[in-house]
Amino acid sequence: MGARGGIITLAALIIIGCQGSSSSSAPPVSAPPPVKLAQNRPVFSADSAYKYLEEVMKCGNRIPGTPEHKRCGDWLMEALRRRGASVYEQVGVYRGTPIHNIIASYGGDTVSPRILLSAHWDSRPHADQDPQNPQAPVPGANDDASGVAVLLEIGRLLQQRPLPYGVDIIFWDSEDLGKEGVSDSYCLGTQYWTENPAPYPPQRYRWGIHLDMVGGKNATFLQEGYSRQYAPLLVEQLWAVARQLGYERYFPPLAGEPITDDPYYLSSRGRVPMVNIIQRDPMGKGFFPEWHTTRDDISIIDKATLQAVGDVLIAFLYSFHPQTLAPL
Ligand SMILES: [Zn+2]
C-alpha cells in the first residue's frame, strides 16, 4: 500500500515524552481495569502458522494472472475447506486487473452477527524499494503471507472450537500492484468487493480485523490512523488485550499515521469498521526494513511475532461479543 510520512507518530511520541517528564509529583496514569479473558480459549500455534507460511511460499510468486498465483489460490481454498470452512471464490476484473478474492465462512449462512478477518494473498511484481533488483518480484513472506498464515491457523482453531457468531476469513487479491503516488492503484481486490460484495453484503459485518506484515522480527503495530477513526473502540480493546497478555512491546499504545491499505477501503466505502494490524516503525522509518525488496523472504519471519499476533486475536475473538465488544 501507499506509504505516508511518520509525522503523527513522532508527534505522539514527543507528547507522551513531555507528559512523562513534566511533573514528578503528578499521580501515575491509572491502567484501565483488566479485561476478562475467556479461560478456555484454544491455543494458537506459531509452529503451525509457520508451516502454513512455508506452504504459501512454496507456491512461488503470487502475482495475479500467473500460474503460480493460480496454484497458490487452489492450495489456499483446499486448505480452508480442510479446516471446515465454506469457501467462496470471487473472480472478476477490476480496471483491467484480474481479481480472485477467497472467502472462507465459519458458522453457517444464517448466523448473525458476522465479523471479518482478512489479509492479502497476492505478492508484488516489482521490488521497487530494492536498489539492486528493482525489477525482480517481491517474495512477500511478510507482505503478506504472514497475515494469510496467521488466519489459516485461526481457521484451524475455529474448526476445533466454533465461535457463537459468524466469522469470514477473506484473502484479498491484487492488493500490491500499485504505484506509489497513484491514488487507488493499490487494494484492487477490496475496491472490487466494496462494489460487488459477496457472498454477504457489508451490512452483515459488525467489524473486522486485517493483518498485513505480521511476521517481522521485533515488529511494532501502532494504532493505525484510519483504524482509530473508523473503529476506535475495537482499537482500544485489542491493544488492551495485547497489554494484558504481555505483548505491549509489539502493540505499543501509540498513534500511527493513516495508511491507505485494504481496511481503508472496507471502512470508508464498504462501511465495515476495520482495524489494521500492520507493522509500522514508531520512529517514522516506515514499514519493515525489507519492505518491497527481494529480501522479504521466509528468512525474516520470526515465530515470536506470529505468536504474539495470534495470541491477541484468539484471546480477543473468544472473549468478546462482536455486537457490544463486551465479554461474551
Ligand atoms: Zn506491500
Side-chain angles (χ1 to χ4, degrees), residues 37-317:
L37 298 179
Q39 292 297 312
N40 62 342
R41 57 189 193 264
V43 178
F44 183 92
S45 165
D47 288 330
S48 173
Y50 189 85
K51 285 199 185 99
Y52 286 128
L53 200 150
E54 284 180 317
E55 290 296 325
V56 172
M57 296 306 290
K58 272 188 211 160
C59 299
N61 297 311
R62 306 175 303 281
I63 301 166
T66 63
E68 293 86 354
H69 177 270
K70 164 101 175 65
R71 193 162 65 225
C72 188
D74 290 344
W75 182 83
L76 285 171
M77 290 189 289
E78 184 52 30
L80 289 160
R81 282 190 200 102
R82 267 189 277 120
R83 297 305 176 199
S86 302
V87 176
Y88 302 85
E89 282 182 85
Q90 184 181 44
V91 178
V93 176
Y94 187 71
R95 291 201 234 128
T97 299
I99 305 290
H100 186 184
N101 294 326
I102 296 169
I103 299 121
S105 291
Y106 287 88
D109 274 358
T110 57
V111 174
S112 241
R114 309 193 71 82
I115 66 143
L116 194 163
L117 304 175
S118 70
H120 75 86
W121 73 277
D122 64 307
S123 62
R124 186 165 177 79
H126 302 300
D128 45 337
Q129 300 294 317
D130 192 322
Q132 271 86 46
N133 303 296
Q135 295 302 320
V138 178
N142 199 23
D143 182 10
D144 184 22
S146 63
V148 169
V150 166
L151 293 181
L152 285 169
E153 168 61 1
I154 286 178
R156 185 180 75 84
L157 300 175
L158 289 174
Q159 181 184 33
Q160 282 180 7
R161 196 88 59 86
L163 280 163
Y165 53 87
V167 178
D168 292 334
I169 293 175
I170 306 190
F171 294 146
W172 305 112
D173 194 14
S174 300
E175 188 273 350
D176 226 345
L177 303 174
K179 288 197 175 63
E180 281 305 307
V182 178
S183 63
D184 297 337
S185 62
Y186 286 86
C187 309
L188 303 179
T190 39
Q191 292 188 63
Y192 180 74
W193 185 86
T194 60
E195 293 175 22
N196 309 275
Y200 305 112
Q203 308 86 271
R204 290 288 300 276
Y205 298 106
R206 293 299 299 183
W207 43 262
I209 300 171
H210 183 80
L211 307 179
D212 200 355
M213 316 178 198
V214 292
K217 199 171 174 57
N218 299 322
T220 45
F221 306 106
L222 306 185
Q223 297 176 346
E224 184 268 335
Y226 290 124
S227 308
R228 287 183 290 117
Q229 180 183 339
Y230 288 102
L233 185 56
L234 187 54
V235 168
E236 287 297 318
Q237 299 280 35
L238 273 168
W239 265 253
V241 167
R243 188 180 62 82
Q244 198 162 327
L245 295 176
Y247 289 132
E248 201 171 42
R249 181 164 71 86
Y250 294 97
F251 290 82
L254 297 174
E257 69 272 57
I259 296 168
T260 309
D261 194 5
D262 288 319
Y264 164 73
Y265 292 99
L266 296 166
S267 292
S268 64
R269 294 188 193 169
R271 306 212 181 282
V272 181
M274 296 287 298
V275 168
N276 194 4
I277 296 180
I278 182 168
Q279 178 171 356
R280 202 70 178 146
D281 184 275
M283 301 310 289
K285 292 185 198 152
F287 299 110
F288 60 107
E290 300 83 6
W291 176 69
H292 289 187
T293 72
T294 56
R295 290 174 292 122
D296 178 10
D297 59 28
I298 199 158
S299 69
I300 68 161
I301 298 297
D302 186 353
K303 283 185 191 172
T305 308
L306 299 176
Q307 188 72 51
V309 173
D311 281 348
V312 170
L313 279 180
I314 288 295
F316 186 80
L317 294 173

